[in-house]
Amino acid sequence: MDVRWREITSQRNSFAALYAACELHGYHLVSSSIPGGDVTLYSLNSIQAPGYLDEISDASCITVVGGPHATACYEELVDVADYVVVGEGEFTVPRLLDRIEHGLSPPPGVATRDGLVQVDHSVLLDAYPSFSEYKGYIEISRGCPYACQYCQTPCIFGHRMRHRSLDSIRELAKHFKQIRLVTPNALAYGSDGRHLELGKVERLMKILKNDGDRELYFGTFPSEVRPEWITEESVELIRTFCDNKKLHMGVQSGSDAVLSRLCRGHSCADALSALDHIRDGGLVPVVDVIFGFPDETDEEQEETVSLVREVCKSGFVHAHRFIPLPGTPLAGTRSTPVIPEAEVALGSLALAGKVTGSWNDPELRFFRRVPY
Ligand code: SF4
């Protein structure tokens, strides 16, 4: 069967992972800039999706759509695609291809116009390499026990953290001289996602460094860390084993009231304490913030501006505009306008090279990210 993968730049890591998963089952995906072959696979996020719906609907081949948007909005997508993969794809996609090839009904985890067959599994990371022919980042952990109200991650991957074993990571790391990782929280490796297990993180770092033979970027693009996991000890570990001079943490708001409404599970004091540990440990902080959460007051945005100014004394800020993603508890809400004071402050700090991001255009954060 001729199976194509629709090329979409931001979905390269998904392609790497699904190529490897399908290869294990005898299907070799062919990357393509147009739909074709017997079947074409799409992975879409919620921002890109509208731009591909007509193409999918008009395609003369069988179409399969997965990714965050498909999981969140499968009921809409079954009107344009033949099959919609809901949730993780590594086990479901090859299984679906096999069913298509043999003229059978779709497996669990797939929606069609006839309805959704509920998924019957969750993926063990060790069962699938992060990549094979096409290189991707090494995914060390999946799932998140937190429930940040704007985030699709727990909606797609669940609240229980799953980790790739050290043996599997060691094998994947052999392909790199410079290592970057995919995980919701790099410091959570080996843990339940709530309690730091520094011994396991240290063993991971030693394996990845391979006696200094490789560069290791940890707690920086494309993953980050949560503030309350940043301690004197965890910073020391990063300083000892890793090559990044910056540490990237998500804080999102300088207001405790907003953090509480978002169910972030940490406070502003946690963020300030983390900043101190990063600076004292000789690293440079990079902090993510979001403006325009629903019902965010002017005063709450001013508190975030204060946090931004504090971070910029010694580090950098990525500022984003809130976007209500489908499938999240905040889906369907509206972004609050960014106050003029915040616009002015962010603009002048951006001119000074301290702030980057897309606080005026929420869609940009899905297409562009500056690597550190
Ligand atoms: S923002 Fe991060 S910590 Fe919060 S739910 Fe998403 S992945 Fe988990």
Side-chain angles (χ1 to χ4, degrees), residues 8-11 43-53 366-367:
I8 298 172
T9 306
S10 63
Q11 301 300 315
S43 177
L44 300 176
N45 69 38
S46 296
I47 302 302
Q48 298 161 326
Y52 288 91
L53 297 186
F366 284 84
F367 297 111

Side-chain angles (χ1 to χ4, degrees), residues 146-298:
Y146 298 93
C148 307
Q149 301 285 284
Y150 54 86
C151 177
Q152 287 179 322
T153 296
C155 312
I156 300 167
F157 298 121
H159 289 279
R160 192 174 63 79
M161 280 203 94
R162 290 160 276 160
H163 304 285
R164 189 176 293 283
S165 71
L166 292 176
D167 285 343
S168 172
I169 291 169
R170 184 188 284 112
E171 280 306 306
L172 292 168
K174 286 177 182 170
H175 299 270
F176 292 95
K177 283 307 243 182
Q178 185 190 89
I179 299 209
R180 294 182 184 271
L181 306 167
V182 171
T183 163
N185 175 11
L187 285 167
Y189 180 74
S191 77
D192 61 1
R194 294 273 185 191
H195 305 93
L196 180 62
E197 296 212 31
L198 221 43
K200 291 181 178 174
V201 178
E202 182 171 351
R203 285 199 286 282
L204 168 71
M205 289 178 175
K206 284 179 175 169
I207 278 176
L208 291 170
K209 278 300 283 184
N210 196 32
D211 293 329
D213 190 36
R214 304 188 193 104
E215 287 182 19
L216 171 58
Y217 290 81
F218 189 95
T220 185
F221 179 84
S223 67
E224 57 185 36
V225 292
R226 284 178 57 89
E228 75 278 28
W229 293 64
I230 298 172
T231 63
E232 191 180 335
E233 294 76 19
S234 58
V235 171
E236 178 59 26
L237 208 57
I238 291 167
R239 283 271 293 166
T240 303
F241 290 102
C242 306
D243 294 273
N244 44 300
K245 305 297 179 222
K246 296 180 173 123
L247 188 56
H248 195 152
M249 68 171 168
V251 177
Q252 317 311 355
S253 174
S255 158
D256 277 322
V258 174
L259 292 176
S260 173
R261 293 203 296 275
L262 294 174
C263 303
R264 276 287 296 173
H266 68 75
S267 65
C268 292
D270 290 326
L272 295 174
S273 167
L275 277 179
D276 286 342
H277 289 311
I278 294 170
R279 292 164 175 158
D280 293 349
L283 295 174
V284 175
V286 181
V287 173
D288 268 345
V289 297
I290 300 175
F291 283 88
F293 287 112
D295 303 322
E296 194 176 46
T297 65
D298 291 4

Side-chain angles (χ1 to χ4, degrees), residues 21-33:
C22 290
E23 188 180 39
L24 285 176
H25 295 267
Y27 294 102
H28 294 270
L29 306 187
V30 176
S31 182
S32 171
S33 59

